[in-house]
Amino acid sequence: MSFSSSPSKKSNHEERTASILRRPEKVSVVIRKITQETPTVKSFVLEPKVTTPKIDFLPGQWLDVFIPNVSTVGGFSITSTPRHFHLTNTLDLAIKYSTHPPAKWFHEEATLGNVVDIRVGGEFYYDDQEERENGTQSIDNISLQKEPGKAANNNIEKIQLLYSAKTLDELLFFERIERLKKNNSGLFDCFYFLTREDSPTSSTTFTATTKSIENISTFICRQRINEKFLIDLLTDDNDLKHLKSFLCGPTQMQDDVAGWLVKGVGLSENQIVLEKWE
């Protein structure tokens, strides 16, 4: 595995992911709900039109999306869990606005009742069985959503989420993350990096939700994630061989962070999983 790369000349999702495994079958789904999550991101709830072929996916996988009258195939990460799908028969996408034809269609033309075809793909995912066999600890929303009378996944000892966004308003799923933290005290923590904004206060409100923020996780502002922060955060753990890191975001950011985790923190490359769509 190499953590250095040059910018890809390919801009098409299918070309960038041509070597990545995906399921052969396509499934038609209906848009059942559209929500403006942040100033630039909308979420979409999708429901299969029929029960066959069956949809199966792992946390972290994405969808090829085929839109009628749009020649470009979209590629969007699934933002809901497999457990949620099994309970509701729906899955969610969160799509940031851009002029790329699929994203532009979802933001400017998609309406309730529209039908698109999807196909599951991706090698960036969390497999609980595999992690148990490898003895690693990681994050999986399914494991955090404890059911009455059932214990949480005892394979997980500590989860630390480092989340970077430009501004407070662009922290997608902030309330969901904070709810997970509250419901899993001592297990789950989050550090928010707001690269273009000062630290929020309890009187600060969200543009999208208009809810005040109180008792929130740590904010680190006017700063990006860097090597020193990772070393300070992780080197107190004397058993790094059980740590698993999942990285997603811009390619250069993933390369930088992965390099810091190996050279600065001391992780091995097989402890790091990157979401690279190229």
Side-chain angles (χ1 to χ4, degrees):
M1 179 188 297
S2 173
F3 296 138
S4 61
S5 65
S6 58
S8 173
K9 295 181 179 179
K10 299 177 181 179
S11 59
N12 181 280
H13 165 70
E14 286 189 293
E15 291 178 326
R16 292 198 307 270
T17 62
S19 62
I20 297 178
L21 295 176
R22 64 248 290 156
R23 294 187 178 276
E25 66 273 8
K26 296 180 184 178
V27 179
S28 294
V29 295
V30 183
I31 299 176
R32 294 302 189 196
K33 185 178 181 180
I34 303 173
T35 304
Q36 188 79 46
E37 299 285 357
T38 78
T40 62
V41 176
K42 286 184 177 182
S43 67
F44 299 83
V45 176
L46 309 178
E47 180 183 20
K49 288 188 68 178
V50 295
T51 57
T52 56
K54 182 181 178 182
I55 298 177
D56 284 310
F57 64 95
L58 291 168
Q61 289 191 295
W62 40 256
L63 299 178
D64 292 331
V65 181
F66 304 84
I67 304 167
N69 302 317
V70 176
S71 60
T72 306
V73 177
F76 303 109
S77 295
I78 304 169
T79 57
S80 53
T81 66
R83 178 176 180 270
H84 177 81
F85 177 73
H86 293 316
L87 291 173
T88 67
N89 196 41
T90 63
L91 49 81
D92 301 349
L93 300 180
I95 300 175
K96 189 177 180 68
Y97 178 82
S98 77
T99 57
H100 189 59
K104 185 178 175 67
W105 180 87
F106 270 102
H107 273 261
E108 297 183 357
E109 300 183 43
T111 60
L112 299 181
N114 283 161
V115 177
V116 298
D117 289 342
I118 62 171
R119 180 173 60 194
V120 175
E123 298 168 353
F124 174 88
Y125 55 78
Y126 178 87
D127 187 327
D128 184 63
Q129 181 61 38
E130 179 180 329
E131 300 304 330
R132 285 177 181 274
E133 292 173 356
N134 292 338
T136 53
Q137 289 115 27
S138 181
I139 182 168
D140 172 18
N141 284 348
I142 303 174
S143 303
L144 297 178
Q145 296 170 344
K146 294 181 286 188
E147 298 180 25
K150 293 185 178 180
N153 185 340
N154 59 16
N155 190 50
I156 300 175
E157 293 183 1
K158 181 69 175 179
I159 297 163
Q160 293 171 315
L161 174 64
L162 277 60
Y163 185 178
S164 180
K166 292 179 181 178
T167 64
L168 184 67
D169 283 342
E170 291 297 338
L171 285 176
L172 183 63
F173 303 135
F174 174 86
E175 291 177 350
R176 183 193 298 183
I177 293 169
E178 287 300 301
R179 188 164 55 249
L180 283 170
K181 178 192 173 186
K182 180 179 178 180
N183 293 338
N184 296 274
S185 178
L187 171 67
F188 179 45
D189 202 1
C190 183
F191 300 88
Y192 300 101
F193 291 75
L194 300 183
T195 60
R196 297 188 183 179
E197 192 166 84
D198 293 327
S199 182
T201 65
S202 60
S203 61
T204 304
T205 58
F206 288 97
T207 299
T209 65
T210 66
K211 292 185 178 180
S212 64
I213 49 177
E214 300 176 352
N215 302 318
I216 51 180
S217 297
T218 303
F219 277 83
I220 298 139
C221 299
R222 302 281 179 181
Q223 178 183 318
R224 297 179 184 275
I225 299 170
N226 58 40
E227 183 175 18
K228 182 180 185 304
F229 184 89
L230 292 174
I231 292 173
D232 291 344
L233 178 68
L234 298 175
T235 51
D236 286 340
D237 186 345
N238 296 320
D239 196 12
L240 289 176
K241 68 177 180 296
H242 290 305
L243 179 66
K244 190 71 169 284
S245 176
F246 290 81
L247 306 180
C248 59
T251 298
Q252 189 59 56
M253 183 275 284
Q254 291 189 62
D255 287 341
D256 289 344
V257 174
W260 298 333
L261 288 172
V262 171
K263 297 177 182 178
V265 176
L267 298 189
S268 63
E269 292 187 354
N270 63 12
Q271 291 176 269
I272 303 169
V273 182
L274 294 85
E275 184 186 45
K276 287 205 171 182
W277 288 16
E278 62 176 357

